[in-house]
Amino acid sequence: MATRRQHRRAFPLVPLLLSLLAAAAYGRLLSSDGSSPSAPLLSSVIRLASSGPAAPAAEEKCEQSYGFLPCTTTVLGNLFLALVYGFLMFKAATYLSSGSELLLEIMGPGLVGGLLLPILGALPDALLVLVSGLSGSKETAQSQVLIGMGLLAGSTVFLLTLLWGTCVVVGKCDLGPSGEAVDVTNTKGFSLTATGITTDVQTSYAARIMGLSIIPFIIAQFPKMLKTHHGQRLAVLLALIVSFLLVLAYCLYQVFQPWIQRRKLAYAKHKHVISGILKHAQMQSLGRLLNDDGTPNEDVIRKLFHKIDMDESSTLSRAELHALIIGINFEEVDFDRADAVDKVMDDFDTSRNEYVEEEEFVQGMKKWLNEAKRSVPVGGAFSSKFINDYHARTRQEHDQLIDKSDEAVESVENPGWCIAKAVGLLLLGAVIAAAFADPLVDAVQNFSNATHIPSFFISFIALPLATNSSEAVSAIIFASRKKQRTCSLTFSEVYGGVTMNNTLCLGVFLALIYFRNLTWDFSSEVLIILVVCVVMALFTSFRTTFPLWTCLVAYMLYPLSLVIVYILDYVFGWS
């Protein structure tokens, strides 16, 4: 069999960047509400692209996915198809995430949070890896499987570089005398050494587990390291077995040590308390909390303060906040009222004098309202319905906050309906992911053929954005809360996502290689995964505070990875 090097030729990086810019511009073809275009629009765009001067010869044809989905051999046509199918994969990941979190809220960590959720989180990536080498002849599978490797490497590198570094930037706080970040304090701007983030020790454990997840890559690559072709198939089989054993071990660890899931539940309760207080304030006929342009209404906020201030002391005590929370009917969620008061006091009492003054209350309410605006999309003017929408949405959010006193299972109203909704979301996400994974891989392969850009680089850059964007947005939003507890969950989930990518998704990839008798020929690709994982594992396993300059290390690893693959494959001829 001809080696992969024979099918590779040097290419300039500029066309790749131009293609990505074209993708951004072409993305405006999607409708304003985020839905995918209708079938006539899809067909007309493809016809338009096909009629251009750069259209291929008439005899060149493409194969329709499932026999009816549109296809094209042009650059713009395949770019558009990749955008549409990528958007559908993004929606599938969103539905899977929402259904998983709702199920976690009802049934608690245990088997659901420890076994089911990590697998569901990796499902879109795993399906794309699977279909990349499942169909067609052995030769076709050998060429398309490079897309699966690109997704594997791209997801791992994206999570540990661009997303990790961005979370450090948005979550940075001032570093105190102890060397740890001071929650919700950011007075030193973008000082590379005086600002940063701090996580808990459990997050360091997650980083160490992530570091161990590279073992299957090393096993599969071992014969290549020895520069021998003997034993390569056995090495792939051993790596396959080890991959799934590590998946099982990681899931069992999550079952018996569900600290990430407990923090999600605790934070969901706190968000619900916030939305309940905002809803209660809106219902007190004091006026709208938000003006039409979305700015907080300070007059109404001050009226609310004086209404809560029963003793007219111009400060709110814990007793008054406790009375406020007791007076609100939180039917859906059972939580510790005293603990809720502590968290509200922590949000408002910036002077730490055990009292909430009027200006502290105004600033705290503004912060809550701004977070609500980020959580709920609004078109046009902000109506009073906005607060109700936010209150409903908080029940579906699960993020972080370490709270050992929280119970594992939420007390919810009508659990049967909630379970049915969760299962429905999971099934919808799984069906969409399964249906459009193959067309997306075909579109990427056809775009690669039309532009002569290797499919690895396209899948490395573009596909992780489709499968990880919802988690990335969520991670950035909660890192921006600038607290140790929220940063801990954010980075724990980043490491957990990499762990599942390096075990479950790699296991699926190795199964394709083994059972279809394909060639394991990914030395440069495996090298960048090992480099990024080892550097970030060593960097994060033995420390809990990361100054702002550490984001530069993460950011530099991303372009470095692409450069390494390019040089090794196209300059030194690694294959």
Side-chain angles (χ1 to χ4, degrees):
M1 175 182 290
T3 63
R4 183 156 56 99
R5 183 186 174 192
Q6 291 174 303
H7 298 284
R8 292 180 169 184
R9 60 190 182 89
F11 72 100
L13 291 176
V14 173
L16 179 61
L17 299 177
L18 293 177
S19 300
L20 294 176
L21 292 175
Y26 234 72
R28 286 178 289 183
L29 291 170
L30 297 176
S31 60
S32 60
D33 61 354
S35 59
S36 59
S38 60
L41 175 60
L42 182 64
S43 301
S44 62
V45 169
I46 294 174
R47 286 197 300 270
L48 177 63
S50 300
S51 61
E59 64 271 9
E60 187 175 345
K61 296 181 180 179
C62 62
E63 182 178 351
Q64 292 179 309
S65 298
Y66 309 131
F68 65 89
L69 288 180
C71 71
T72 177
T73 57
T74 65
V75 174
L76 290 181
N78 280 297
L79 178 61
F80 179 70
L81 287 177
L83 285 170
V84 173
Y85 296 142
F87 174 76
L88 290 171
M89 290 300 291
F90 161 75
K91 295 301 292 184
T94 301
Y95 290 138
L96 287 169
S97 176
S98 299
S100 300
E101 292 176 347
L102 185 58
L103 199 62
L104 174 65
E105 180 179 354
I106 301 165
M107 305 184 70
L111 290 175
V112 173
L115 183 60
L116 184 61
L117 262 60
I119 294 175
L120 289 174
L123 183 61
D125 281 0
L127 285 174
L128 281 172
V129 169
L130 179 64
V131 302
S132 69
L134 192 62
S135 59
S137 64
K138 181 178 177 180
E139 289 73 19
T140 300
Q142 186 68 55
S143 64
Q144 283 198 346
V145 81
L146 197 60
I147 296 176
M149 176 53 74
L151 175 60
L152 269 175
S155 292
T156 293
V157 174
F158 169 78
L159 291 172
L160 290 178
T161 59
L162 298 184
L163 181 58
W164 193 96
T166 301
C167 288
V168 171
V169 173
V170 300
K172 67 180 178 62
C173 297
D174 295 346
L175 297 181
S178 63
E180 293 188 353
V182 181
D183 284 356
V184 204
T185 304
N186 187 21
T187 62
K188 299 178 181 178
F190 287 87
S191 173
L192 294 178
T193 57
T195 62
I197 61 105
T198 296
T199 60
D200 56 23
V201 66
Q202 288 92 342
T203 307
S204 298
Y205 300 156
R208 296 174 191 177
I209 294 172
M210 180 269 292
L212 294 175
S213 68
I214 64 173
I215 293 176
F217 285 104
I218 297 175
I219 295 175
Q221 193 64 23
F222 196 69
K224 293 289 184 181
M225 295 178 185
L226 299 178
K227 297 182 179 180
T228 177
H229 295 289
H230 300 292
Q232 181 64 72
R233 186 167 170 79
L234 176 60
V236 170
L237 178 60
L238 290 176
L240 168 63
I241 295 172
V242 172
S243 294
F244 286 110
L245 287 177
L246 288 176
V247 172
L248 178 61
Y250 180 70
C251 290
L252 290 177
Y253 171 78
Q254 293 286 64
V255 169
F256 294 110
Q257 299 289 336
W259 44 273
I260 295 179
Q261 288 77 15
R262 291 188 188 278
R263 280 185 282 176
K264 285 184 176 181
L265 294 176
Y267 191 58
K269 292 178 181 180
H270 181 48
K271 288 288 293 273
H272 201 60
V273 169
I274 292 174
S275 65
I277 293 175
L278 294 177
K279 182 180 179 182
H280 177 77
Q282 189 77 71
M283 295 172 60
Q284 295 304 304
S285 301
L286 299 173
R288 289 171 50 189
L289 290 171
L290 289 174
N291 299 313
D292 289 342
D293 60 356
T295 57
N297 190 330
E298 285 196 23
D299 292 337
V300 173
I301 295 174
R302 294 184 190 278
K303 288 179 183 179
L304 176 63
F305 174 84
H306 291 295
K307 187 168 185 177
I308 301 172
D309 182 19
M310 303 297 295
D311 60 4
E312 299 182 353
S313 63
S314 296
T315 59
L316 300 182
S317 64
R318 288 182 179 272
E320 288 169 325
L321 289 176
H322 190 268
L324 171 66
I325 292 175
I326 290 294
I328 300 175
N329 185 17
F330 295 96
E331 294 180 353
E332 304 94 337
V333 177
D334 181 25
F335 59 91
D336 186 340
R337 264 60 177 176
D339 182 67
V341 171
D342 290 339
K343 290 185 172 68
V344 173
M345 182 67 76
D346 184 58
D347 279 352
F348 283 3
D349 181 22
T350 56
S351 63
R352 300 295 183 257
N353 62 356
E354 295 300 312
Y355 289 96
V356 178
E357 298 165 0
E358 184 172 349
E359 286 303 320
E360 290 177 330
F361 184 80
V362 171
Q363 295 304 317
M365 289 292 288
K366 283 183 177 181
K367 178 184 172 185
W368 281 2
L369 289 169
N370 288 330
E371 288 177 0
K373 287 193 297 182
R374 289 196 296 265
S375 300
V376 180
V378 176
F382 285 77
S383 66
S384 58
K385 182 176 177 293
F386 166 77
I387 298 297
N388 294 329
D389 292 341
Y390 177 58
H391 184 63
R393 184 154 185 148
T394 55
R395 293 200 64 254
Q396 301 177 9
E397 293 182 353
H398 293 265
D399 296 288
Q400 63 163 333
L401 212 64
I402 299 174
D403 189 346
K404 299 179 181 178
S405 66
D406 281 323
E407 296 179 2
V409 182
E410 300 278 355
S411 297
V412 297
E413 217 179 46
N414 198 356
W417 162 249
C418 291
I419 291 177
K421 181 180 178 181
V423 173
L425 288 170
L426 293 175
L427 289 177
L428 179 61
V431 168
I432 293 176
F436 292 100
D438 192 25
L440 177 57
V441 169
D442 288 342
V444 170
Q445 183 65 49
N446 292 335
F447 182 77
S448 172
N449 294 336
T451 59
H452 304 293
I453 299 173
S455 57
F456 170 83
F457 288 92
I458 299 173
S459 57
F460 182 95
I461 296 173
L463 292 189
L465 298 179
T467 57
N468 296 293
S469 55
S470 61
E471 290 81 359
V473 171
S474 177
I476 292 171
I477 288 175
F478 291 108
S480 67
R481 292 183 64 88
K482 299 182 181 299
K483 292 185 177 180
Q484 178 178 337
R485 293 171 295 188
T486 51
C487 284
S488 297
L489 180 63
T490 297
F491 286 92
S492 294
E493 292 195 324
V494 168
Y495 300 141
V498 174
T499 300
M500 291 303 293
N501 190 66
N502 289 351
T503 54
L504 178 61
C505 296
L506 175 62
V508 172
F509 187 81
L510 290 169
L512 275 176
I513 298 295
Y514 183 80
F515 290 108
R516 297 218 62 184
N517 198 22
L518 304 178
T519 301
W520 176 268
D521 193 14
F522 309 104
S523 297
S524 57
E525 293 86 350
V526 169
L527 178 63
I528 64 171
I529 294 175
L530 296 180
V531 167
V532 172
C533 286
V534 169
V535 168
M536 294 305 293
L538 293 176
F539 195 47
T540 59
S541 296
F542 303 101
R543 60 188 304 169
T544 56
T545 297
F546 302 94
L548 183 59
W549 64 263
T550 59
C551 75
L552 301 178
V553 177
Y555 284 146
M556 287 188 295
L557 285 173
Y558 188 83
L560 180 63
S561 300
L562 288 170
V563 171
I564 288 175
V565 173
Y566 180 83
I567 292 176
L568 292 181
D569 281 343
Y570 298 98
V571 177
F572 291 99
W574 277 33
S575 181

